[in-house]
Amino acid sequence: MAAPKVAVVGAGVIGLSTALCITETCPSCSVTVLSDQFSPNTTSDVAAGMLIPHTYPGTPINVQKQWFKETFTYLFAISNSAEASEAGIHLVSGWQVFKTTPKEELPFWSDVVLGFRPMSEAELQKFPQHRFGQAFTTLKCDCPPYLLWLEKRLKATGVQMCNRKVADLWELHSEYNVVVNCAGIGAHQLVGDEKLFPIRGQVLKVQAPWVKNFIRDGGGLTYIYPGIHRVTLGGTREKESWSLSPDPGTTKDIFDRCCSLEPSLRGAQDIEVKVGLRPSRRCVRLQREVLSQGGVKLLVVHNYGHGAGGFSVHRGTAKEAAQLVEECLAALQGSSSRAKL
Ligand code: FAD
């Protein structure tokens, strides 16, 4: 069989990292990324990029933990390399604070992040409205630089980037052996997935260079995540809202909530408002599917539906998707050798 051709639909963190893992797992493949938007215009560009997992109720915890661990290990290695600054990856320490002690004092990811421990009394004094807290060090991706770094690595390995809206996966049938669907919330229309829904998130990106530690309220609705250049203040979770327009009332509410956690933010400058639609599902759709039309087959691998936690698990799910692509190619190879006999 000639070099197998793989199309990856989507150029957010999931599409780009999946394309990269495919080039690593199947180096003989010719990979093309097709997308109607690239950085800086994807949901992935809006994200805060913190490695704090979100829980998928429909996925076993051991699987989610493995995805997170793979991602943490991968990004930790980058953070310890000379690539760290270009890739926008850095360690960040801080606090997750609660008004009442949570039922689950040790989240499943507590032994993956670094130095997880209960906050001391002295630390808690900074948060007079909170009674309990956890301190740890995790990683943060500054999202647009990380996406550009992934794109640069892909181009260096010969991956083609193509600006194209795909209306139907069957369009790609004559050109590609396997199609990988990483369309994020776009999969709602592309493959008609009714289980996929948006959770709208509005955030503020501000200049506040004195803020060095992250602060997150226990429920995860209010957060302050310092990046290399700007601090992300959040947030909102609006289920089934498709609106990408910033809401000024929400901006004020987010700012006030963050200032009540970190009063010095009243001096923040240069406030930019961003909105993104989290591609949400009970579980990430990570599976092979064989589509069939009039006796013709199309091999598809799906990798979408990462909701609020795409950055936290992207490398783990990308590796698994690349393995599924490898299985598809092995099946194709098997059927083409049988046809020759
Ligand atoms: P996207 O980034 O949306 O990429 C989808 C791609 O598919 C795009 O390039 C799009 O153009 C393309 N596409 C779609 N349909 C088609 C089509 N028909 N034809 C061609 N191309 C198509 N996660 C974390 O882990 N940590 C965080 O701190 C965090 N903070 C967040 C804060 C906010 C406000 C939001 C909104 C999200 C946050 N997330 C966070 C979640 C994270 O952003 C998502 O899980 C992740 O970005 C999903 O990536 P994706 O590649 O699947 O989707």
Side-chain angles (χ1 to χ4, degrees):
M1 193 167 116
K5 294 181 81 178
V6 178
V8 176
V9 180
V13 70
I14 301 303
L16 298 178
S17 57
T18 300
L20 192 59
C21 285
I22 297 169
T23 63
E24 290 163 8
T25 313
C26 319
S28 62
C29 283
S30 152
V31 180
T32 305
V33 175
L34 304 160
S35 192
D36 61 348
Q37 298 290 346
F38 285 83
S39 183
N41 300 318
T42 69
T43 304
S44 299
D45 287 280
V46 175
M50 280 291 280
L51 264 72
I52 300 179
H54 149 86
T55 305
Y56 303 99
T59 304
I61 288 293
N62 62 318
V63 174
Q64 302 186 44
K65 185 168 178 177
Q66 185 57 29
W67 291 341
F68 180 55
K69 211 170 167 173
E70 299 251 16
T71 309
F72 197 93
T73 305
Y74 178 72
L75 294 180
F76 190 41
I78 298 175
S79 79
N80 288 314
S81 76
E83 299 272 301
S85 147
E86 188 187 345
I89 309 297
H90 60 106
L91 285 165
V92 57
S93 300
W95 303 285
Q96 170 157 269
V97 291
F98 298 81
K99 289 194 170 140
T100 54
T101 309
K103 270 194 241 139
E104 193 192 36
E105 282 192 33
L106 273 185
F108 73 85
W109 42 266
S110 59
D111 59 349
V112 179
V113 296
L114 308 176
F116 188 95
R117 60 173 174 79
M119 280 167 69
S120 67
E121 282 304 318
E123 285 171 308
L124 272 170
Q125 276 174 18
K126 179 172 166 63
F127 304 100
Q129 295 166 10
H130 296 79
R131 302 182 46 174
F132 178 82
Q134 297 153 338
F136 55 95
T137 298
T138 188
L139 287 152
K140 182 179 177 312
C141 306
D142 274 12
C143 301
Y146 183 56
L147 298 173
L148 289 180
W149 181 83
L150 286 171
E151 278 187 29
K152 190 172 157 189
R153 294 202 60 185
L154 288 169
K155 286 177 189 158
T157 56
V159 171
Q160 301 289 314
M161 302 283 175
C162 185
N163 196 302
R164 170 168 166 185
K165 182 168 175 80
V166 178
D168 185 328
L169 295 180
W170 277 101
E171 279 174 27
L172 306 174
H173 171 257
S174 56
E175 270 183 87
Y176 299 97
N177 301 101
V178 181
V179 174
V180 188
N181 171 14
C182 301
I185 196 65
H188 188 265
Q189 198 179 3
L190 183 60
V191 294
D193 184 345
E194 295 289 330
K195 293 184 189 149
L196 182 70
F197 57 92
I199 298 189
R200 180 182 181 279
Q202 183 164 321
V203 286
L204 320 182
K205 309 261 175 177
V206 306
Q207 289 281 0
W210 61 90
V211 176
K212 301 289 184 202
N213 293 309
F214 75 81
I215 305 170
R216 178 181 201 262
D217 85 355
L221 191 62
T222 304
Y223 50 80
I224 299 162
Y225 293 148
I228 296 171
H229 302 294
R230 295 171 76 72
V231 184
T232 303
L233 309 183
T236 64
R237 284 191 203 130
E238 296 150 77
K239 209 171 160 180
E240 301 283 1
S241 167
W242 290 88
S243 167
L244 283 169
S245 308
D247 176 73
T250 305
T251 299
K252 184 180 178 314
D253 177 52
I254 293 171
F255 193 67
D256 288 346
R257 279 188 276 130
C258 289
C259 288
S260 86
L261 280 176
E262 178 53 71
S264 71
L265 281 170
R266 289 271 167 223
Q269 302 275 314
D270 190 15
I271 298 174
E272 199 187 351
V273 187
K274 299 266 184 190
V275 177
L277 305 179
R278 301 175 181 94
S280 302
R281 238 176 154 264
R282 267 180 63 73
C283 57
V284 176
R285 186 170 184 204
L286 190 43
Q287 63 179 190
R288 275 169 69 181
E289 187 180 24
V290 182
L291 301 180
S292 187
Q293 237 179 39
V296 182
K297 290 191 176 359
L298 175 63
L299 299 183
V300 176
V301 171
H302 298 284
N303 185 14
Y304 67 84
H306 295 70
F311 277 86
S312 306
V313 296
H314 71 277
R315 178 73 189 185
T317 59
K319 271 180 88 172
E320 207 170 307
Q323 279 155 16
L324 297 177
V325 170
E326 207 180 7
E327 286 172 24
C328 290
L329 295 173
L332 270 180
Q333 203 110 39
S335 60
S336 78
S337 339
R338 275 195 301 279
K340 281 189 197 138
L341 289 174

